[in-house]
Amino acid sequence: MSGIRAQQKEKTRRLLIDAALNQLSAERSFSSLSLREVAKEAGLAPTSFYRHFSDMDELGLTLVDEAGLTLRQLMRQARQRIAKGGSVIQISVETFMELIESNGNVFRLLLRERSGTSAAFRAAVIREIRYFTMELCDYLQHAKNLDTEVAYMQANAAVTIVFSAGSDALDMDDKSERAQLSKQTIQQLRFIARGAAELSDRRKISKKTNK
Amino acid sequence: MSGIRAQQKEKTRRLLIDAALNQLSAERSFSSLSLREVAKEAGLAPTSFYRHFSDMDELGLTLVDEAGLTLRQLMRQARQRIAKGGSVIQISVETFMELIESNGNVFRLLLRERSGTSAAFRAAVIREIRYFTMELCDYLQHAKNLDTEVAYMQANAAVTIVFSAGSDALDMDDKSERAQLSKQTIQQLRFIARGAAELSDRRKISKKTNK
DNA sequence: AATTTAAGTGTACACGTGTACGCTATTGTT
DNA sequence: AACAATAGCGTACACGTGTACACTTAAATT
């Protein structure tokens, strides 16, 4: 099996995925996309859609997977940059904002669409974000030597702040406005980091004195 | 003019508003609601809808106004409780969570629906949230004597965290789970408050030494 | 070379949608 | 008492939707 057939199939599958992503915008949520619209944008007959996905829901799940991949790519890239030195928070936020600029529509799926979708879809989105949060939590625990619970709360707050800022950035066309938003987000993350570090310290001290 | 007619009209207008609110859920966003569905739920013929709103968009804007009112009610209630003493953050979060429990669907409009709606709708939501943020910013500036810019960043971060937690709470049926979420949210707000207070102090010192 | 498999097409159907239009019945105005 | 205004209804229409079904055509298998 040379696979010239499977190869073609994969190609038009991507056509469908990209067609869906391209139609996303501030006005247009995934849940408001119709099977026919997506097929048309991909240059296919409506019924051909079924050769690749049984449902718009299934396409949606695939898109969320795609978004998850992008999120991991983000983590890898940020880690590489951090290894070269500099402010961890600043580098992370800037890397995130860059990725939003180039992969805007992929992120809309994770940042918007909190309702009006299937339960499976929402669960998938939540799973991706949780995974991301846990990665950050691990990092905080080890690199910053934080109390487990405190690390989780910091990670959770940080992800909420960054994703919310990312969501806002999606609708900004002015570049200086985005830069301002980045700056503010960085400062907010520092607030959180500072507060978390203090609580973690206090907890450690109280544990020692209890011994 | 006794207004028995206008009175009736207002009554069925409320029927439409409530019908729309009642149909909101995790699965069902406002943007996915159809004019006919809302009219049916209200016990009206589809075309009667037009006697009250020219559009689903117009209904949407009305709902956002409604949500804005609820938000102000929240602020008033929180202020009253705070005046009686206690942790400001804790009281605020608990008041917020209470209101979400009783007015869940009103909040879905503000907390979800970040896309897939008309530009006017999104603008209205953003306006309400901004107003809320500004109120908090004012409070922080005066009561806590914070630097203007720092106060804004804290207010913005706090609102993001609380609204995100509120959005999560909307889909929880377990009461203890909600309590845990409240606790976590309170701690996160304290992180932010602590970090902001420190930065504000540092800025004041540097201003003094510059004189 | 003959046969099977499957990606993509076109037609067809039932259904839900927004809304234009004319009607009825009741309230408000003159 | 006569008239105007209007909330609500029913019908009707064009349109977009998901999808079932029978088809072509090219690759894969035998």
Side-chain angles (χ1 to χ4, degrees):
Chain A
M1 44 169 160
S2 69
I4 167 166
R5 188 161 206 149
Q7 202 175 320
Q8 263 302 331
K9 180 164 186 180
E10 190 55 35
K11 212 169 165 182
T12 72
R13 187 183 140 101
R14 270 242 74 82
L15 239 52
L16 281 169
I17 291 176
D18 292 339
L21 283 177
N22 285 336
Q23 307 223 16
L24 294 181
S25 71
E27 328 280 333
R28 218 77 172 69
S29 68
F30 175 77
S31 58
S32 77
L33 248 49
S34 78
L35 184 153
R36 285 175 110 107
E37 280 176 309
V38 174
K40 191 174 195 175
E41 173 86 9
L44 293 183
T47 47
S48 300
F49 182 96
Y50 296 106
R51 302 294 181 192
H52 304 272
F53 305 99
S54 68
D55 223 39
M56 276 295 284
D57 267 9
E58 201 174 299
L59 210 201
L61 292 180
T62 305
L63 291 183
V64 175
D65 280 356
E66 196 97 340
L69 285 177
T70 311
L71 224 45
R72 279 156 227 197
Q73 177 189 329
L74 162 67
M75 290 189 264
R76 244 178 293 124
Q77 196 165 336
R79 263 198 275 267
Q80 281 174 13
R81 292 185 184 182
I82 288 169
K84 290 180 182 171
S87 157
V88 174
I89 290 179
Q90 182 178 343
I91 290 173
S92 300
V93 170
E94 281 168 2
T95 308
F96 188 71
M97 289 299 188
E98 271 177 40
L99 216 63
I100 279 192
E101 201 153 355
S102 52
N103 295 55
N105 284 339
V106 178
F107 276 98
R108 278 182 208 278
L109 283 170
L110 298 180
L111 306 181
R112 309 279 169 89
E113 319 280 352
R114 303 273 300 169
S115 70
T117 50
S118 75
F121 184 97
R122 275 174 289 136
V125 170
I126 288 171
R127 182 157 30 83
E128 290 299 339
I129 293 180
R130 177 164 317 189
Y131 179 80
F132 189 76
T133 305
M134 285 312 178
E135 282 282 309
L136 179 54
C137 182
D138 264 23
Y139 168 79
L140 292 172
Q141 252 182 105
H142 298 121
K144 302 289 176 183
N145 199 28
L146 286 189
D147 175 272
T148 310
E149 207 189 343
V150 174
Y152 177 74
M153 289 193 292
Q154 175 176 356
N156 185 283
V159 168
T160 301
I161 293 288
V162 172
F163 276 38
S164 167
S167 176
D168 292 345
L170 275 175
D171 296 335
M172 292 179 177
D173 14 42
D174 185 22
K175 194 152 186 176
S176 73
E177 211 178 346
R178 288 195 191 204
Q180 162 63 21
L181 178 61
S182 282
K183 214 175 133 193
Q184 175 184 293
T185 306
I186 289 166
Q187 193 57 257
Q188 289 169 333
L189 292 187
R190 291 201 171 127
F191 289 170
I192 294 168
R194 176 55 67 109
E198 275 191 26
L199 176 60
S200 181
D201 284 351
R202 260 185 290 144
R203 284 198 180 179
K204 275 180 192 161
I205 290 169
S206 80
K207 271 183 191 166
K208 273 184 188 168
T209 54
N210 277 349
K211 277 182 186 169
Chain B
M1 47 168 159
S2 70
I4 168 168
R5 187 161 208 150
Q7 201 175 319
Q8 264 301 330
K9 180 163 185 181
E10 190 55 33
K11 212 168 165 183
T12 71
R13 186 184 141 101
R14 271 242 72 83
L15 239 52
L16 280 169
I17 292 176
D18 292 339
L21 283 178
N22 285 335
Q23 308 222 17
L24 294 181
S25 72
E27 327 280 332
R28 218 77 171 67
S29 68
F30 175 77
S31 58
S32 78
L33 248 51
S34 79
L35 185 151
R36 285 175 111 105
E37 279 177 309
V38 174
K40 192 173 195 176
E41 173 85 8
L44 294 182
T47 48
S48 299
F49 181 95
Y50 296 106
R51 302 295 183 191
H52 303 272
F53 306 99
S54 68
D55 225 37
M56 276 295 285
D57 267 9
E58 202 174 299
L59 210 202
L61 291 180
T62 305
L63 292 183
V64 174
D65 280 358
E66 197 97 341
L69 285 177
T70 311
L71 223 46
R72 279 156 227 198
Q73 177 189 330
L74 162 68
M75 289 189 265
R76 245 179 292 122
Q77 195 165 335
R79 263 198 276 266
Q80 280 174 14
R81 292 184 184 182
I82 287 170
K84 290 179 184 170
S87 158
V88 174
I89 289 180
Q90 183 179 341
I91 291 172
S92 300
V93 170
E94 280 168 2
T95 309
F96 187 72
M97 289 299 187
E98 272 176 38
L99 217 65
I100 279 192
E101 201 153 354
S102 52
N103 296 56
N105 284 339
V106 177
F107 277 98
R108 278 182 209 278
L109 283 171
L110 298 180
L111 305 182
R112 310 278 170 89
E113 318 282 353
R114 305 272 301 167
S115 71
T117 51
S118 75
F121 185 97
R122 275 174 289 137
V125 170
I126 288 171
R127 182 157 29 83
E128 292 299 340
I129 293 180
R130 178 165 317 189
Y131 180 79
F132 189 77
T133 305
M134 285 312 178
E135 283 282 310
L136 178 55
C137 182
D138 264 23
Y139 168 79
L140 292 171
Q141 251 181 104
H142 299 120
K144 302 290 177 184
N145 198 29
L146 285 190
D147 175 271
T148 311
E149 207 189 343
V150 174
Y152 177 73
M153 289 193 292
Q154 176 177 355
N156 184 282
V159 168
T160 301
I161 292 288
V162 172
F163 277 37
S164 167
S167 176
D168 291 346
L170 276 174
D171 297 335
M172 292 180 177
D173 15 41
D174 185 21
K175 195 152 184 175
S176 73
E177 210 179 348
R178 287 195 193 205
Q180 161 64 21
L181 178 61
S182 282
K183 212 175 135 196
Q184 176 184 291
T185 307
I186 289 167
Q187 193 56 257
Q188 288 170 333
L189 292 187
R190 291 203 171 125
F191 288 170
I192 294 168
R194 176 55 66 108
E198 275 191 26
L199 176 59
S200 182
D201 285 351
R202 261 185 289 145
R203 285 200 179 178
K204 275 178 192 162
I205 291 169
S206 79
K207 270 181 191 167
K208 274 183 186 168
T209 53
N210 278 349
K211 277 181 186 170

